[in-house]
Amino acid sequence: MPHTYNLIDEPWIPVRVRGKPSPRDVSLREALLRAHEIERLIDPSPIVTAALHRLLIALAHAAIAGPADEDAWAAEWARGRFEAPVVEAYLGRFHARFDLFDAARPFYQSAGLPIQVASTVARLGHEYSRGNNSLLFDHSFDSRPPRIEPDAAARLLVTVQAFSLPGTITILPGDPTGSSASHLVKAAVVLLQGATLFETLLLNMVDVDGIRGRPFQFDPAEDAPAWERDEPVTATTRAPAGYLDLLTWQSRRVLLVPDDDGMVRRTVIMAGFGFPPGLDPHDYETMAAFVQRDKLGWVPVGFRPEKALWRDSVALLQSTSSGTGPSTVRWLGHLKAGYLDEDLRFDLTAFGLSTDRAKVFLWRAEEFPLPLAYVDNAELLPHLEHGLESAKEAASALFRATRVLAEQVLSPQGNGDPARIRAFGDSLGAERAFWPALDLPFRAFIRDVPTARVEAKAAWAASVRSAAEDAFERAARIVEETPGRGHRAVAEAAPRFEFALHKALARLLPEPVPGGGTP
């Protein structure tokens, strides 16, 4: 008997419902019809969470046929929920296209792929170990592949289309010998989050007539999400036909192979659509920020193991010649002018991976408050930028101080091995202690700058000073226990560090008023 698992009806999306103590899974229908009651999607994987949001944004967009402009958006926002008859009509029209195991049109898959080349379903998920993949999240093996429920398979299926790594995969005659990475792999996918899933979905919808501020323009007449498109996915390059096509981009041809009991252990995965040369993601991606680099052009802002993303928060919000924030953030600038109260505060969450050569080193989600006052505000954003620059200068002062400590211990005459000095300085771990200590203070800083600028900057300066001094003192204690010149090294480094730290934080503090006090 053929298996069936329709994502419109079956619960597979993990959410937290307002007023309920435990998370639960909901179907696509329930996710839209109860979006005003659902607080958050809560999958443990950041990239699954990002991919599910992109799917739901596209589905909501298609179901309500818009919103096509600011007025239509404001009408939806004021209603506070998606209209049930409109949603039900759309889901009924395309119901058959959402069956995970449909013989002719399996959801987000390509029917007819050769199942004789199927391999472990672990190939769909970065969290599973397989082949020579790093054993970071999972302890299954190729000889004992995981056996997963259809709901988990559906989540991995949606995610692999958005976050596929590059590499050689199963091919058919005429296919390319390898596949490029999905365009989101290097990017921090930025999501604006409201108080409910309804608000979150609506906040991340841009007008479908064109992405404002981007040179690449979509043609709404040609646009459609993956489940509405009739042409098969092939291993070819093409430009996205539109915004909804992009949100549901099929970077891989996939076919799930269910066991007799409906569980999934095997899958076929092959190259799908790629982007043609010269088509820059900066020109069309709505949920990522980009910065311009010499010789590299526009590069997505992404995650790095050694650096928290909030340190790049200015790049996520700005629109200048050297940086472009997500279109969704800039879309808020249009809505702020007459449609949203400037006192509103949302959350900005970024999801993504850190990868190198088709290996995943980490996945991460970072969230910080986003007062609407920042959006499209050329006067306010520099205060945030100055705060981050001061913290960076404090980190530089800390770095130089640890080098002085290392030099005074290993080479007081100044003729030591630079590599050995650098290694000893790094081993003190001062910077590794400094930045994490600022994680929570930064959230207070970005929250308070719009309403209490002077106080917020002073509090941030105090937090930066405390974090830097604590990190230096830890390093100094290690050095003082070193036989020989430990105490002398600290005596040499401490005054220089305090002077440099004071200079780094000076711009955050108010200028003294002649005769005493501050302005």
Side-chain angles (χ1 to χ4, degrees):
M1 180 178 177
H3 296 290
T4 182
Y5 192 89
N6 196 293
L7 303 181
I8 289 176
D9 307 318
E10 300 286 351
W12 65 288
I13 300 175
V15 301
R16 183 173 64 239
V17 179
R18 182 187 300 163
K20 302 295 184 181
S22 301
R24 53 169 298 198
D25 290 349
V26 298
S27 65
L28 286 173
R29 174 185 286 110
E30 190 173 2
L32 292 187
L33 295 183
R34 297 190 64 191
H36 56 289
E37 301 173 11
I38 295 171
E39 292 181 353
R40 292 282 178 99
L41 301 187
I42 55 168
D43 194 271
S45 164
I47 59 173
V48 170
T49 303
L52 290 177
H53 275 104
R54 288 173 73 89
L55 171 66
L56 285 172
I57 291 165
L59 181 60
H61 235 311
I64 67 176
D69 55 33
E70 292 93 330
D71 289 336
W73 189 96
E76 289 289 339
W77 182 264
R79 186 179 294 113
R81 63 199 304 170
F82 295 119
E83 292 184 280
V86 173
V87 171
E88 290 283 15
Y90 182 84
L91 296 182
R93 180 183 170 196
F94 291 101
H95 187 271
R97 298 285 179 96
F98 287 86
D99 192 331
L100 201 61
F101 301 127
D102 186 77
R105 286 293 303 261
F107 176 78
Y108 258 45
Q109 298 165 75
S110 298
L113 296 182
I115 62 173
Q116 64 269 23
V117 299
S119 61
T120 171
V121 75
R123 296 180 66 196
L124 287 180
H126 301 318
E127 64 268 46
Y128 292 108
S129 67
R130 75 272 187 196
N132 63 352
N133 211 33
S134 299
L135 193 64
L136 297 179
F137 310 104
D138 171 63
H139 293 275
S140 61
F141 299 92
D142 290 348
S143 59
R144 299 197 306 273
R147 182 169 171 269
I148 62 176
E149 300 275 1
D151 58 340
R155 292 190 291 270
L156 292 178
L157 176 66
V158 173
T159 304
V160 78
Q161 299 291 9
F163 292 96
S164 286
L165 298 177
T168 301
I169 57 178
T170 304
I171 60 174
L172 291 176
D175 283 2
T177 56
S179 57
S180 58
S182 301
H183 76 282
L184 296 176
V185 163
K186 295 292 186 181
V189 178
V190 175
L191 187 76
L192 302 172
Q193 294 199 308
T196 65
L197 179 60
F198 169 79
E199 289 189 359
T200 296
L201 297 180
L202 212 57
L203 285 169
N204 291 277
M205 290 184 182
V206 300
D207 64 323
V208 294
D209 290 331
I211 300 175
R212 299 173 186 271
R214 302 290 201 196
F216 181 80
Q217 294 298 311
F218 291 143
D219 182 359
E222 300 296 324
D223 193 17
W227 53 85
E228 290 188 27
R229 308 185 71 83
D230 292 323
E231 76 276 18
V233 179
T234 56
T236 58
T237 60
R238 69 173 180 86
Y243 173 49
L244 303 184
D245 185 22
L246 177 65
L247 286 173
T248 60
W249 187 252
Q250 303 291 283
S251 66
R252 296 291 183 266
R253 288 170 294 164
V254 180
L255 184 63
L256 300 176
V257 183
D259 289 347
D260 292 340
D261 58 1
M263 302 285 282
V264 180
R265 293 179 62 186
R266 297 184 298 150
T267 184
V268 183
I269 179 167
M270 300 180 176
F273 291 133
F275 296 123
L279 193 61
D280 193 331
H282 164 261
D283 292 338
Y284 51 82
E285 175 54 49
T286 65
M287 298 174 68
F290 296 83
V291 292
Q292 200 162 36
R293 303 295 189 203
D294 292 341
K295 299 181 181 180
L296 296 176
W298 291 102
V299 176
V301 176
F303 288 97
R304 288 184 283 170
E306 75 281 3
K307 184 179 180 182
L309 191 70
W310 60 260
R311 292 164 58 185
D312 288 323
S313 55
V314 172
L316 299 178
L317 302 177
Q318 71 180 358
S319 295
T320 67
S321 60
S322 61
T324 303
S327 297
T328 47
V329 174
R330 296 208 315 281
W331 176 237
L332 277 184
H334 295 276
L335 301 173
K336 189 174 76 170
Y339 298 96
L340 290 174
D341 187 342
E342 188 168 314
D343 292 335
L344 286 174
R345 193 198 84 190
F346 304 113
D347 289 323
L348 188 150
T349 307
F351 308 88
L353 302 165
S354 177
T355 67
D356 183 47
R357 298 183 182 181
K359 287 188 179 292
V360 177
F361 293 112
L362 63 83
W363 55 17
R364 184 177 290 167
E366 287 191 33
E367 180 175 315
F368 53 85
L370 175 61
L372 192 57
Y374 281 105
V375 178
D376 201 28
N377 189 328
E379 178 184 350
L380 193 59
L381 203 56
H383 294 284
L384 180 62
E385 188 170 17
H386 292 161
L388 290 168
E389 287 175 353
S390 294
K392 185 177 179 180
E393 291 171 10
S396 295
L398 188 60
F399 172 82
R400 292 192 300 271
T402 57
R403 288 303 178 268
V404 172
L405 290 173
E407 288 170 354
Q408 290 296 316
V409 169
L410 299 178
S411 177
Q413 304 304 320
N415 57 354
D417 178 7
R420 187 165 171 247
I421 291 171
R422 182 171 59 251
F424 182 53
D426 290 343
S427 73
L428 298 176
E431 281 195 86
R432 293 193 296 274
F434 171 72
W435 286 111
L438 293 177
D439 191 81
L440 291 179
F442 174 76
R443 282 150 177 75
F445 176 55
I446 194 173
R447 180 196 66 211
D448 296 338
V449 162
T451 55
R453 190 172 307 167
V454 173
E455 294 83 355
K457 291 166 74 172
W460 174 246
S463 295
V464 173
R465 175 177 292 279
S466 176
E469 290 179 341
D470 286 349
F472 178 78
E473 287 174 8
R474 289 193 193 98
R477 284 197 296 271
I478 295 172
V479 170
E480 286 174 337
E481 294 173 359
T482 303
R485 291 181 52 86
H487 288 279
R488 180 65 180 271
V490 173
E492 287 282 345
R496 303 186 200 183
F497 167 67
E498 286 295 338
F499 176 79
L501 182 60
H502 175 78
K503 186 177 178 181
L505 301 178
R507 76 167 75 186
L508 296 178
L509 303 175
E511 293 289 337
V513 173
T518 58

